[in-house]
Amino acid sequence: MSELDLRHLRSFLAVAERRSITRAGVALHLTQQAVSTHVRQLERALGVALLVRTSRGVLLTPAGEELALGGAAVVDDLARLVDRVRAVADAQAGTLRLACCPAATALFAVAVAEALESEVPGLRVTLSSARHPKQELELLRSGRADAAFMWLPIGEVGLHHATVRRDPRAVALSPRHALAQRTSVTLAELADDPVLRPDVLTSDRAHRFWCADPRPDGRAAVLGPVVPTVEDCLLEVGRHRGVWIAPRPLGAAMPVGDLRWVPLTDGEPFDLAVVWADHAPQPLITRLIAEVRAVVDDERRHDAA
């Protein structure tokens, strides 16, 4: 882009999206005159007319339509390249960026980050909060995080992982549920209960695993509605509209109202893993995995004492 200024291209794309120089200026926090100047300079650099100005806004010329079509991809690609460049610089400077879901692994992640910084002189560990696995995956793919703590499976997403902890299952039940006062239940006892599904997981395979579908006897799980978030899911459980199966630590991390979290005695457990992308600094990932496993072992010894 030796002949083009990225600022000019961004201004043009904002105008093209909104069909208004005024609204583009508001979105970019620039004056109308500055946006107009950027577009004119871009037109001069390309030697083509991009906009036709009218009393009701602007229209794109055929050349403008073509630039709008491809220009957004160029800007996005450049932003991702910048993220990758910064990731490499961070790795060389001794920085490791971790993504985690606060409700599930925040305290765990804090302990690991502090242990790593203590063990590796000069290392800086940053923690990025994500509301759910889909956001963790986006942080990894965009280069804004080097690694994340996620429960498997996550699907075929081109990432690497190492299992660091195994968590048994529990089921969230309404206090009105017939099994709510039990100390444990089996999947067979939940055979007729619809399983609610928060739309936060990364693949169809992950959705099936969380729902324990199929069940150990080969029967298909009764699938309830898909809801936007885990919080919505737990509210629906509270209204006795279904159940939710999750790793047991989530029960302690997400107490909602008077829901009952009851251990499941069967069903495959969840594997918690360190998940990382190709751009992650491998020596630091190796140290991270070792430190996580040490923290997990300490927790197990503490719980057994």
Side-chain angles (χ1 to χ4, degrees), residues 174-259:
S174 162
R176 291 181 283 158
H177 195 284
L179 302 175
Q181 303 307 318
R182 294 275 297 275
T183 57
S184 65
V185 297
T186 66
L187 287 169
E189 292 174 306
L190 299 171
D192 297 325
D193 287 283
V195 182
L196 296 162
R197 296 170 291 158
D199 187 22
V200 299
L201 300 178
T202 56
S203 69
D204 290 339
R205 182 183 172 201
H207 276 282
R208 290 193 299 273
F209 184 83
W210 280 65
C211 292
D213 182 28
R215 297 298 164 84
D217 61 3
R219 294 177 58 183
V222 178
L223 300 181
V226 176
V227 295
T229 68
V230 169
E231 291 79 7
D232 293 324
C233 182
L234 294 176
L235 289 173
E236 291 297 289
V237 170
R239 300 183 71 184
H240 200 33
R241 293 180 174 174
V243 303
W244 186 46
I245 300 171
R248 199 173 294 177
L250 280 181
M254 303 188 70
V256 175
D258 54 357
L259 292 185

Side-chain angles (χ1 to χ4, degrees), residues 294 296-305:
V296 169
D297 287 343
D298 287 343
E299 288 180 346
R300 286 173 179 161
R301 286 193 290 270
H302 180 269
D303 291 341

Side-chain angles (χ1 to χ4, degrees), residues 157-181:
V157 293
L159 298 173
H160 313 281
H161 71 266
T163 300
V164 293
R165 192 179 74 192
R166 176 157 284 194
D167 293 314
R169 292 180 182 244
V171 59
L173 302 175
S174 162
R176 291 181 283 158
H177 195 284
L179 302 175
Q181 303 307 318

Side-chain angles (χ1 to χ4, degrees), residues 43 47-51 61-64:
E43 288 177 322
V48 300
L50 299 172
L51 302 177
T61 65

Side-chain angles (χ1 to χ4, degrees), residues 29-65:
H29 305 289
L30 296 174
T31 65
Q32 181 177 344
Q33 181 179 1
V35 174
S36 294
T37 300
H38 286 174
V39 174
R40 285 197 299 270
Q41 291 173 334
L42 184 60
E43 288 177 322
R44 279 200 295 270
L46 293 172
V48 300
L50 299 172
L51 302 177
V52 176
R53 294 158 178 81
T54 72
S55 59
R56 301 182 62 182
V58 298
L59 299 175
L60 298 186
T61 65
E65 294 281 3

